[in-house]
């Protein structure tokens, strides 16, 4: 299923809706304004928190953690030794690793597990600026997790770009 993300478009603060391919609200990215560190919540349409996205402070390398029900779900970091500048590793709490690579700032990248494509992220399907799709390929995949990963790596890449400018 494709999820359409209108990244920060016409939104107050960091809040924005993610719609499914039928145009229904599927998830809300709720930014917590005026905080020292980055914290977002991915909520369902009823306002239930599905995943909390949190910037790790005082980390050797920039990292974000994903939490579900107050427990750590995953840690996202830039991959250290990669020829690709836009390459991130997602380490789930049970040890599973997902690879994220591509042109992150262009919203053209993929999320893979051991070479299997889980979700391509692309702007190519949409003409509206700041709009991209997360296409969750497998029906049994955790769509909330894959969307949270996409939101995190984009946020991390943008922060790195802004800090380097």
């Amino acid at each position: 299923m494709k999820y359409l993300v209108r990244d920060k478009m016409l939104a107050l603060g960091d809040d924005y809706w993610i719609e499914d391919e039928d145009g229904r609200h599927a998830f809300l990215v709720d930014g917590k304004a005026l905080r020292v560190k980055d914290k977002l919540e991915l909520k369902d349409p009823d306002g239930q928190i599905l995943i909390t996205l949190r910037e790790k402070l005082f980390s050797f390398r920039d990292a974000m953690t994903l939490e579900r029900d107050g427990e750590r779900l995953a840690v996202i970091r830039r991959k250290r030794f990669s020829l690709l500048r836009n390459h991130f590793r997602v380490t789930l709490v049970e040890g599973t690793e997902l690879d994220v690579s591509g042109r992150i700032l262009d919203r053209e990248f993929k999320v893979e597990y051991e070479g299997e494509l889980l979700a391509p992220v692309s702007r190519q399907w949409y003409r509206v600026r700041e709009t991209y799709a997360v296409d969750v390929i497998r029906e049994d995949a955790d769509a909330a997790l894959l969307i949270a990963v996409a939101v995190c790596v984009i946020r991390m890449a943008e922060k790195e770009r802004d800090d380097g400018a």
Side-chain angles (χ1 to χ4, degrees), residues 9 27 81:
M9 206 173 154
F27 303 101
F81 304 109

Side-chain angles (χ1 to χ4, degrees), residues 34-53:
L34 303 175
R35 294 196 183 249
V36 174
K37 60 183 179 176
D38 217 0
K39 178 183 174 188
L40 302 169
E41 294 173 340
L42 186 66
K43 298 179 177 181
D44 69 14
D46 296 324
Q48 294 289 93
I49 300 171
L50 301 174
I51 297 179
T52 300
L53 300 74

Side-chain angles (χ1 to χ4, degrees), residues 51-57 59-68 71-79 87-100 145 148-149 152-153 156:
I51 297 179
T52 300
L53 300 74
R54 197 181 302 271
E55 181 181 28
K56 285 186 79 171
L57 292 180
S59 174
F60 175 68
R61 292 188 328 244
D62 283 337
M64 289 190 82
T65 59
L66 303 179
E67 299 171 358
R68 180 175 277 152
E71 300 290 325
R72 185 185 312 194
L73 177 63
V75 176
I76 302 172
R77 289 186 173 91
R78 176 171 300 287
K79 195 168 180 182
H87 197 170
F88 291 82
R89 173 173 288 140
V90 181
T91 306
L92 300 175
V93 72
E94 77 274 0
T96 302
E97 290 186 346
L98 306 179
D99 283 316
V100 181
L145 172 64
V149 165
C152 280
V153 297
M156 291 170 73

Side-chain angles (χ1 to χ4, degrees), residues 80-114:
R80 272 190 189 188
F81 304 109
S82 174
L83 297 175
L84 301 172
R85 180 166 183 194
N86 290 304
H87 197 170
F88 291 82
R89 173 173 288 140
V90 181
T91 306
L92 300 175
V93 72
E94 77 274 0
T96 302
E97 290 186 346
L98 306 179
D99 283 316
V100 181
S101 63
R103 297 184 329 266
I104 308 294
L105 293 173
D106 293 334
R107 303 334 189 238
E108 297 291 338
F109 59 94
K110 58 188 174 180
V111 181
E112 296 178 308
Y113 169 68
E114 293 185 348

Side-chain angles (χ1 to χ4, degrees), residues 3 118-119 136-146:
Y3 294 92
L118 298 178
V136 178
I137 302 289
R138 291 178 45 166
E139 288 185 27
D140 64 340
D142 185 342
L145 172 64
L146 293 172

Side-chain angles (χ1 to χ4, degrees), residues 115-135:
E116 178 186 354
L117 182 62
L118 298 178
V121 176
S122 181
R123 244 190 204 152
Q124 73 182 12
W125 297 298
Y126 302 98
R127 299 250 183 251
V128 180
R129 191 169 189 267
E130 298 300 325
T131 301
Y132 61 93
V134 177
D135 189 3

